[in-house]
Structures are given as structure tokens and as C-alpha cells.
Amino acid sequence: MPGLVDTHIHASQYSYAGTALDMPLLQWLNAYTFPVESCFKDLEFARKVYTQIVRRTLRNGTTTACYFATIHTEASLLLGQIANDFGQRALVGKVCMDRNDCVKHYKETLQDSQDETFSPSPVVTPRFAPSCTGALLEQLGEIAKNNNLHIQSHISETHEEVKLVKELFPESESYTDVYRKHNLLTDKTVMAHGCHLSDEELALFRETGASLSHCPNSNFSLCSGVLNVRNVLKHKVKLGLGTDVAGGYSASMLDAVRRALDASKVLTIQDPKYKTLSFEEVFRIATLGGSQALSLDDQTGNFEVGKDFDALRINVAAEGGPIDLIQDEEPKVGDDRNIVEVFVAGRRVVPITE
């Protein structure tokens, strides 16, 4: 099968994945995320965590990952080097944020953020509008435009966040408009979540070519909201799937597939007329949809002739695996125990050799 594309994952948060899910987003960031991310100034700590997350995602079939790192340039470069050494196709963004009133030591000055982003980062990464001043967003938009760079951030994850953005940027018509005004909505932009976007905002996404990353595990785990995928697809907005570690407790894209199906069924429970997503539709979002969302679909996403060979070799009857074959049937979702080999651009990267 084609390799899985994780369009949104915080590599730096892997150290506490599966814990600390007792708060809504904004409180969760202040209590857990910012203190942990500040530790990545220690390169040995960074090396340990980043090595583990790249190994874990590869073993779970993630051939392409779009990573958030931290505000630390050297550690962000280290993540890129580790992913490259293991053979994973990765986009790595150094986080930019010059506004953080709760954990004051975890932020940058406007000048530092601009200078450090200009040098090493292939993905311009404003954390999200509430942690950035308008001046920083404007500078990042210029850097991305002048260098034709990828852009990643978050949008409309929770109602509380949307309200805060309205207070911080009263001159903008919507959360989406904040990014648009600062040249951060392009055909190389991927925004995580989007649970509470209006139809007008989705139209802006369509017009600019920007994409969304659906992160259902995180949306459930932090009680953020449920993305209406049908409505996103109806607006012809590019859509990928993300694990969003550690708001999402699993680094497995197969888990993201399951949770995306769950989210769709929740909407059907609320409205029986809602057409539940099929497994095949979600599988497409996790593969080709993800490569389209990251503007990499000329290289990967399926087995079209001319694309790189990003692939998983699966054994549904793997010894000790999660599936028992009772009769002639086609089991559709296993786990990492069923993934025998992983290839990225034709190179075998799993089993991992030391």
C-alpha cells in the first residue's frame, strides 16, 4: 500500500504522549506543552526524543511527516538531520512565537524569530495567531513568499481560541482572515484542525489553495470539536490527516484513520442524514490527500508511474498480529505489527538497522 502521510505532528511533544489530556487546549499548552518544549534547548534531550519519534512513526508506516519542532534552531536542525538519517521524508518547521504571557521564558523576540526562520527552516511555522504579533506574522509571510516556502500553523481548533483571536486581531474579519492578511494562506500552506471554520473561511481556503490537516484524535482528546470533513470536501479544500502528537495520544496514522471514521460517525449520530465517511475515503485522505495537502503530490501519495516509491509491505496474517483470519476475507485496518517493510523513495527504511 502507499506510504502514510502525517500532515501535522509535534515531534517535541512525543515525550509526554498519552498523558496530560485533562485540560482544554489553551490551558493544556500553558501547563504542559510550553514547559516541555522549553527543554529542547538541551540538544541531548532533543536528540533522544527526536530519535524516538522518527523511529516510531516510521515503524507505523509514516513515510512523510510534517513536523513542528520548537523555537530552538539547533534542535530543529537536529530533527531534520535525524529524519534524513533514518530515511523519512520530512518537512521540519522551527516554531515562531513572540507572544506568550503565561510561560514567559518560552518565546522569542520579533527579530530573533525572523532571523532564525530565514536561515534554516523549510517550513515557515508561526505556532498560531494567539502566540504571534501582527508584526511577526507579516515578516513570516514575507519570508515564505520571497523564498517559496511551505507554511504550517493551527486554526480554529477550539471556540475559546477563536474568541481570543478575535480579541487580539479585531481588525480582521475572521481567524482565516488574520492569516490571509499576512500572506500566510498560499497553495503551500497547511493549517491544522479547522473544526470551527465558517463556509466563508473555507471559501478563502479554496481560493488561496491552502489546505487543512484533520487531527481527530487530538480533537477528541482535548475536547476541541469535530471537523465536518464532508463540508470541507464539498468546498473543494485540500485535506490531509494528522496525528497531532501529543494532543493526539498516538503517533500512528492508522489510529488517525480510525479516529477520522469515529468523528464522521459522531456527526451521523447527531444528524442521521449525514453521510458517514467510508474507509476508502479516509484512506485516500491519509495517503494522496496528505501529499496534496503538503504540495508533494507530484512526488508521492500513490503508485502513479513517475512518483517516488513510498510504500508499505503488509502481512495481514503476521504472527502475533491483531487480526485473526477466520475465513476468506479482506481485513482493512491492522497496526504496526502488520507492517513488514517500509520504503521511502525506493529505499528500505523498516526494518530499522542500527
Side-chain angles (χ1 to χ4, degrees):
M1 57 180 269
L4 297 164
V5 181
D6 191 340
T7 56
H8 183 70
I9 177 170
H10 293 262
S12 54
Q13 296 174 15
Y14 184 60
S15 63
Y16 65 96
T19 69
L21 295 174
D22 57 335
M23 295 179 179
L25 173 68
L26 298 183
Q27 293 76 16
W28 177 82
L29 288 170
N30 294 327
Y32 303 115
T33 300
F34 296 149
V36 170
E37 289 192 12
S38 66
C39 297
F40 280 75
K41 61 182 179 289
D42 178 348
L43 288 181
E44 283 311 304
F45 177 75
R47 182 181 300 278
K48 179 180 179 181
V49 175
Y50 287 157
T51 298
Q52 289 175 331
I53 185 61
V54 172
R55 289 172 63 98
R56 175 68 64 180
T57 52
L58 274 176
R59 288 201 305 268
N60 278 277
T62 299
T63 52
T64 300
C66 191
Y67 288 117
F68 268 63
T70 63
I71 66 173
H72 310 98
T73 301
E74 288 188 35
S76 302
L77 290 168
L78 179 61
L79 172 56
Q81 185 63 54
I82 290 169
N84 185 66
D85 289 346
F86 278 105
Q88 187 175 56
R89 186 190 305 278
L91 296 173
V92 176
K94 186 205 80 67
V95 171
C96 298
M97 49 189 290
D98 65 342
R99 176 158 47 192
N100 187 1
D101 296 329
C102 295
V103 183
K104 298 188 187 309
H105 65 277
Y106 190 63
K107 65 178 180 181
E108 311 164 291
T109 65
L110 171 63
Q111 191 64 46
D112 284 345
S113 190
Q114 176 186 342
D115 292 345
E116 295 300 302
T117 296
F118 190 77
S119 172
S121 186
V123 192
V124 171
T125 306
R127 179 172 216 108
F128 66 159
S131 68
C132 301
T133 60
L136 176 57
L137 293 176
E138 184 174 350
Q139 291 292 334
L140 295 177
E142 281 297 307
I143 291 171
K145 181 179 178 181
N146 293 337
N147 297 277
N148 191 29
L149 297 176
H150 292 266
I151 299 165
Q152 63 176 347
S153 192
H154 302 81
I155 194 168
S156 295
E157 187 172 352
T158 72
H159 287 300
E160 184 182 15
E161 172 202 9
V162 173
K163 181 182 177 184
L164 178 59
V165 169
K166 194 171 185 179
E167 293 169 359
L168 293 173
F169 298 90
E171 72 283 357
S172 292
E173 296 175 12
S174 65
Y175 200 157
T176 303
D177 190 47
V178 173
Y179 291 126
R180 184 192 65 80
K181 281 184 174 176
H182 295 99
N183 296 312
L184 290 166
L185 276 191
T186 75
D187 60 1
K188 295 182 78 171
T189 294
V190 58
M191 291 282 173
H193 303 293
C195 298
H196 308 291
L197 292 173
S198 67
D199 285 350
E200 291 76 18
E201 289 176 281
L202 287 171
L204 271 178
F205 268 76
R206 171 61 179 168
E207 289 169 21
T208 57
S211 62
L212 281 172
S213 174
H214 179 29
C215 305
N217 188 315
S218 174
N219 294 339
F220 286 138
S221 294
L222 298 179
C223 297
S224 300
V226 182
L227 179 67
N228 186 332
V229 169
R230 283 264 176 249
N231 196 40
V232 173
L233 298 177
K234 184 181 80 172
H235 281 84
K236 294 184 169 59
V237 173
K238 294 183 294 183
L239 181 67
L241 204 56
T243 58
D244 193 23
V245 169
Y249 55 76
S250 174
S252 166
M253 279 293 292
L254 293 177
D255 172 84
V257 168
R258 291 189 182 95
R259 299 290 85 80
L261 290 166
D262 289 345
S264 180
K265 290 174 182 177
V266 165
L267 294 174
T268 304
I269 291 169
Q270 295 172 342
D271 178 9
K273 295 180 181 177
Y274 185 83
K275 185 181 178 184
T276 309
L277 293 172
S278 68
F279 170 83
E280 288 78 10
E281 286 176 303
V282 178
F283 181 82
R284 184 190 183 282
I285 294 170
T287 51
L288 183 61
S291 68
Q292 291 170 339
L294 298 180
S295 299
L296 294 173
D297 50 308
D298 61 333
Q299 300 176 52
T300 188
N302 58 16
F303 292 142
E304 282 187 5
V305 174
K307 292 189 181 184
D308 289 348
F309 185 67
D310 289 7
L312 315 181
R313 189 165 73 84
I314 307 299
N315 178 7
V316 294
E319 187 175 352
I323 300 168
D324 291 317
L325 298 181
I326 307 302
Q327 52 189 2
D328 241 358
E329 55 191 291
E330 295 181 3
K332 289 183 175 177
V333 179
D335 62 23
D336 60 304
R337 289 169 288 182
N338 299 108
I339 299 172
V340 179
E341 292 180 303
V342 177
F343 297 84
V344 178
R347 171 187 169 187
R348 192 175 77 162
V349 296
V350 173
I352 294 171
T353 55
E354 297 299 335

